[in-house]
Amino acid sequence: MSLIPSFLGSSRSNILDPFSLEIWDPFKDFPFSSESQFAKEASALVDTRVDWKETPEAHVFKADLPGLNKEEVKVEVEDDRVLQISGERKVEKEEKKDTWHRVERSSGKFLRRFRLPENAKMDQIKASMENGVLTVTVPKVEVKKPDVKSIEISG
């Protein structure tokens, strides 16, 4: 029972009540509220973090995909030099006897796309997965340094 009297409804849903069990969502009535299916799917997309670094030899992508195995992840390259990482994190099976207190891990489909630069060797891309981290290595075309020939100056 709350120690603060309710002015806005039942005593357990008062937004001014620090002991309220309800969390106020300012976007609750919008079509894309945090409880909508769109928001849940978008959060799965947003939660897929990818680092992209360039070394002298390659472009290296690392994606955190905890709890997934390599069969649940697809790495594809489109003709127009687009690297696509996708997959699906399945929802855990619910049993009637279970009582959930908190669900914070995201589930659903994810998709990330990256346009590769012109110096990428499209036919030599490699991917590996270890401890929930996907690593995609895209070798770079070697830039041939021009042959420099010294010319002696006469006179």
Side-chain angles (χ1 to χ4, degrees):
M1 183 168 177
S2 173
L3 299 175
I4 300 172
S6 173
F7 298 106
L8 301 174
S10 74
S11 63
R12 300 314 278 166
S13 65
N14 184 351
I15 60 170
L16 303 175
D17 180 1
F19 302 106
S20 174
L21 299 177
E22 203 171 295
I23 297 174
W24 180 61
D25 182 1
F27 303 107
K28 182 174 76 177
D29 296 324
F30 287 120
F32 298 113
S33 72
S34 61
E35 295 178 9
S36 73
Q37 185 62 31
F38 173 80
K40 289 175 185 170
E41 289 172 5
S43 72
L45 290 172
V46 172
D47 288 345
T48 305
R49 307 283 186 207
V50 179
D51 294 338
W52 176 0
K53 73 175 177 179
E54 183 176 355
T55 67
E57 300 82 29
H59 294 275
V60 181
F61 297 83
K62 290 193 177 219
D64 286 339
L65 302 170
L68 295 181
N69 57 43
K70 65 182 185 178
E71 290 78 26
E72 296 170 308
V73 179
K74 271 181 23 179
V75 178
E76 301 170 311
V77 179
E78 296 176 2
D79 290 335
D80 53 348
R81 310 182 81 76
V82 175
L83 173 69
Q84 179 171 299
I85 301 170
S86 62
E88 184 171 6
R89 188 174 285 123
K90 303 281 185 194
V91 177
E92 194 170 321
K93 291 180 183 175
E94 250 184 77
E95 304 224 2
K96 296 290 182 193
K97 62 184 177 190
D98 294 342
T99 302
W100 289 84
H101 295 281
R102 184 173 296 263
V103 178
E104 293 182 345
R105 297 181 301 148
S106 62
S107 61
K109 294 180 181 180
F110 62 89
L111 171 73
R112 295 296 307 270
R113 295 167 55 98
F114 303 92
R115 180 164 305 280
L116 297 172
E118 292 292 324
N119 66 352
K121 287 185 179 177
M122 303 301 289
D123 57 338
Q124 296 181 14
I125 297 174
K126 294 189 181 355
S128 64
M129 190 136 168
E130 187 176 337
N131 296 328
V133 178
L134 172 71
T135 302
V136 180
T137 305
V138 183
K140 291 168 41 177
V141 175
E142 294 176 27
V143 178
K144 186 174 180 181
K145 295 180 181 176
D147 291 334
V148 178
K149 180 180 172 185
S150 292
I151 308 294
E152 188 176 322
I153 302 172
S154 62

